[in-house]
């Protein structure tokens, strides 16, 4: 089984640069307090680390 992480959106994309909004969409998040289980890959980690004020890692599985 592949390693996964659970990511939660904690910040609003309102008044944020378009690049940050696009990163949220790329992670599959679009509304406050939504969670998403994603594969734990370097690309996903990089996306999460680029917007730490908007998302939070809830849990690491695997």
């Amino acid at each position: 089984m592949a390693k996964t992480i659970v990511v939660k959106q904690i910040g609003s994309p309102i008044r944020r640069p378009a690049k940050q909004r696009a990163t949220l969409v790329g992670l599959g998040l679009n509304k406050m307090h939504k969670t998403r289980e994603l594969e734990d890959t370097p690309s996903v980690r990089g996306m999460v680390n680029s917007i730490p004020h908007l998302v939070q890692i809830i849990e690491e599985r695997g």
Side-chain angles (χ1 to χ4, degrees), residues 17-31:
K19 188 173 181 179
Q20 292 180 5
R21 274 187 247 131
T23 303
L24 279 174
V25 171
L27 289 171
L29 299 170
N30 61 350
K31 294 182 181 175

